[in-house]
Amino acid sequence: VLLILPTPTFFFHLPTMTSFANAPGRHLQDLILDTHAVATKEQKLACLKMLRTVVKNLSDPKKSNDPKFRQLKLSNPKVEANLTPCPSALEYMKAIGFDIVHDENDGEEYLRMKEEMKIVLSDMEAALCELNNAVDMVSLSPPSSSSSSSSSPFGQEKQTSEGNYSTTMLRSQSSTLSSASGASASSSSSITGKIMSEKQ
């Protein structure tokens, strides 16, 4: 049985997001393909879910104008833990409108949207859809540890020189069923022979 995984470029092609000049989908693709750092599957998922929460808030008409939802403190332990393993996530945040700023009031660094920046809700809705696809893709990928991967129902993923996922082999259940059928037939044959022997 073959499981065909679409290439990441399919998920991250956003023709409707015309106001995003910095191609956030490209940074999201980098995050999943791990071209800038080696992050575990769990770290990628945690990072993507945080990005999804941020974008979900920004796609809400009321929250998108609330300064509380337009910034992230970089020293926040949760933010730091989620962003550090995935440098592409920081580039993604910049691509959707965030800047790294130093706040003179508390001396902290923030990822913050400028007050004058108007959020296009349709862009954020498209970005949210893109992040949902990214979370699904990483969730379906094999575990990060090699020992876990060997017991995964998925075969090993291969990556082409273009950075796209190629066809992934799903371990065939038919071979398992065939083996079980063979064992059952052998057992049945043994029982039948025993019965015939007893009759004689």
Side-chain angles (χ1 to χ4, degrees):
V1 179
L2 292 178
L3 177 67
I4 310 298
L5 289 182
T7 61
T9 49
F10 172 81
F11 282 92
F12 310 126
H13 176 57
L14 299 177
T16 60
M17 299 171 69
T18 53
S19 65
F20 282 145
N22 295 323
R26 176 169 57 84
H27 301 300
L28 201 56
Q29 179 174 313
D30 286 342
L31 193 160
I32 292 179
L33 295 178
D34 227 5
T35 58
H36 295 312
V38 179
T40 65
K41 171 182 176 178
E42 292 72 24
Q43 288 172 324
K44 289 180 183 180
L45 273 176
C47 182
L48 287 168
K49 288 178 180 179
M50 185 193 74
L51 295 178
R52 182 170 64 178
T53 298
V54 171
V55 172
K56 183 177 181 180
N57 288 333
L58 294 176
S59 66
D60 183 282
K62 293 182 179 179
K63 292 181 179 179
S64 62
N65 293 315
D66 188 335
K68 178 175 65 175
F69 298 106
R70 294 168 64 101
Q71 68 175 17
L72 289 175
K73 183 188 287 188
L74 289 175
S75 63
N76 180 295
K78 187 174 181 180
V79 172
E80 187 176 8
N82 288 334
L83 286 181
T84 301
C86 306
S88 296
L90 190 59
E91 298 305 316
Y92 178 85
M93 293 288 284
K94 292 178 182 178
I96 63 173
F98 285 84
D99 293 311
I100 296 179
V101 299
H102 181 80
D103 194 310
E104 296 181 356
N105 295 321
D106 59 10
E108 296 282 356
E109 283 194 334
Y110 290 81
L111 273 169
R112 180 179 291 166
M113 283 185 164
K114 296 177 181 177
E115 291 183 11
E116 62 271 21
M117 178 180 174
K118 179 176 176 59
I119 293 176
V120 180
L121 295 181
S122 60
D123 286 354
M124 290 301 167
E125 289 170 358
L128 181 59
C129 179
E130 180 181 63
L131 282 162
N132 283 330
N133 287 335
V135 168
D136 290 342
M137 178 181 286
V138 174
S139 297
L140 291 172
S141 68
S144 53
S145 64
S146 57
S147 58
S148 298
S149 295
S150 61
S151 60
S152 169
F154 295 97
Q156 184 179 6
E157 282 183 332
K158 297 181 180 178
Q159 191 173 325
T160 66
S161 57
E162 292 77 22
N164 296 331
Y165 286 115
S166 61
T167 302
T168 302
M169 294 297 296
L170 182 63
R171 288 181 179 173
S172 177
Q173 295 181 356
S174 61
S175 61
T176 304
L177 293 174
S178 177
S179 298
S181 177
S184 176
S186 175
S187 175
S188 176
S189 176
S190 176
I191 293 173
T192 302
K194 184 176 179 181
I195 293 174
M196 292 295 292
S197 176
E198 289 177 353
K199 284 184 178 182
Q200 291 175 357

